[in-house]
Amino acid sequence: MNVLTELASLDTSVTEKSVTLAEQAYRAIKRDIVSGALPPGSALRLEFLKGRYQLSFSPLREALNRLQSERLVDAAALKGFRVSPLSLKEMRDSMNTRILIDCEALKRSIERGTDDWETHVVGSLHTLSLVTRRHNNGELGETYYDQVEQRHLGLHQALISACDSRWLLEFSMTLYVQTERYRRPMLVDLYKNSAPRDVSKEHRDLVDATLSRDTHAATQLLTQHYQKTADLIEASLSNAPTPANNKKG
């Protein structure tokens, strides 16, 4: 290997490391924003983030800029970054848009889905049901909620996975992230207070309509599923001890 080749290899290695650290910073901060570990409106000072995540300023800045583009982080001149505040109006807007995107993706998946897609949907429902049953055995806590969220996302991704549209899938995931930071407090309240909602039945009915290739029923059930979630989120935020429905500013 000559000198130029060695330098090129070194440059590539440094670039890959930088990208990896930036991705690591992005995922860690995003996880903490969505889970509420970094509360809405809290300052995201680089020195604080450096100590929290043990990363240098460069990947942290890149991560914050990326999160700003996803509207999870706000930036103000001379004030730096902060976690975007929660807004009931924006939550409703995000949820209504998610209904449009996911219903279209579900409709296309029902039209184009294969036997393998049906198997994937059934398997995703089963894994969600397994982790949900643990609630009945008293297994709560943050780890439990994380597992529920992972399986819940997996089911909704499986339902629309046959839509054959990268854009629909990407928009769906972006909107999921926007709504998940609102869903987490609602999810905790739901299990702690035994709210009168049978989410498992909603998922089973949705899957049954989907596998029956009943597009009208499936999209209707998906719309109702999201609307019920939005209603519970609004009730949860309205009952919060601190104002969580401030407009962004």
Side-chain angles (χ1 to χ4, degrees):
M1 181 182 294
N2 59 35
V3 175
L4 290 177
T5 303
E6 289 179 357
L7 288 174
S9 176
L10 179 60
D11 287 342
T12 301
S13 176
V14 170
T15 300
E16 289 177 350
K17 183 178 180 181
S18 177
V19 169
T20 300
L21 291 176
E23 182 68 22
Q24 179 183 335
Y26 164 77
R27 292 181 182 181
I29 299 172
K30 183 175 184 176
R31 180 193 63 233
D32 286 349
I33 290 174
V34 169
S35 70
L38 293 172
S42 60
L44 297 173
R45 297 183 178 87
L46 288 173
E47 197 64 45
F48 163 75
L49 297 176
K50 179 181 178 182
R52 182 180 179 90
Y53 301 109
Q54 299 298 302
L55 293 167
S56 63
F57 290 158
S58 180
L60 288 170
R61 284 196 191 93
E62 186 173 336
L64 290 171
N65 286 325
R66 185 173 170 186
L67 290 165
Q68 182 185 9
S69 71
E70 296 180 355
R71 304 180 71 177
L72 292 175
V73 164
D74 290 340
L78 305 178
K79 293 184 178 180
F81 294 94
R82 65 170 181 163
V83 179
S84 297
L86 299 183
S87 161
L88 288 178
K89 180 179 179 181
E90 182 159 318
M91 181 276 292
R92 286 287 184 181
D93 188 21
S94 298
M95 193 66 79
N96 289 336
T97 306
R98 190 179 177 200
I99 288 171
L100 291 174
I101 294 295
D102 282 19
C103 282
E104 177 60 26
L106 180 59
K107 176 183 175 181
R108 296 187 187 189
S109 291
I110 289 173
E111 293 172 350
R112 306 171 186 181
T114 63
D115 291 347
D116 287 340
W117 167 71
E118 290 195 11
T119 301
H120 182 35
V121 170
V122 172
S124 298
L125 176 63
H126 180 63
T127 56
L128 175 60
S129 298
L130 287 177
V131 72
T132 302
R133 288 175 199 160
R134 294 174 189 167
H135 169 251
N136 298 326
N137 297 326
E139 295 185 28
L140 297 175
E142 287 300 312
T143 300
Y144 170 73
Y145 297 129
D146 287 340
Q147 291 175 349
V148 170
E149 279 305 300
Q150 291 170 8
R151 304 302 192 280
H152 181 256
L153 173 60
L155 173 60
H156 281 276
Q157 286 180 319
L159 285 165
I160 65 174
S161 62
C163 70
D164 195 27
S165 170
R166 179 173 64 89
W167 285 110
L168 282 175
L169 294 175
E170 288 187 5
F171 285 144
S172 175
M173 190 61 199
T174 297
L175 291 164
Y176 165 78
V177 172
Q178 286 295 325
T179 54
E180 188 189 359
R181 64 191 297 245
Y182 293 90
R183 288 183 66 255
R184 177 61 69 101
M186 179 275 297
L187 182 65
V188 173
D189 287 344
L190 183 67
Y191 287 112
K192 284 184 177 178
N193 301 323
S194 298
R197 182 186 182 190
D198 192 343
V199 180
S200 295
K201 183 178 186 304
E202 290 177 28
H203 286 140
R204 290 195 302 271
D205 290 345
L206 174 57
V207 168
D208 286 345
T210 297
L211 298 185
S212 296
R213 308 288 174 144
D214 188 337
T215 301
H216 177 72
T219 53
Q220 231 182 11
L221 288 168
L222 183 60
T223 298
Q224 292 169 3
H225 179 64
Y226 286 162
Q227 287 175 339
K228 288 179 181 178
T229 297
D231 291 341
L232 285 172
I233 288 172
E234 183 166 351
S236 177
L237 292 180
S238 298
N239 294 329
T242 56
N245 56 342
N246 297 328
K247 292 182 179 180
K248 287 189 173 184

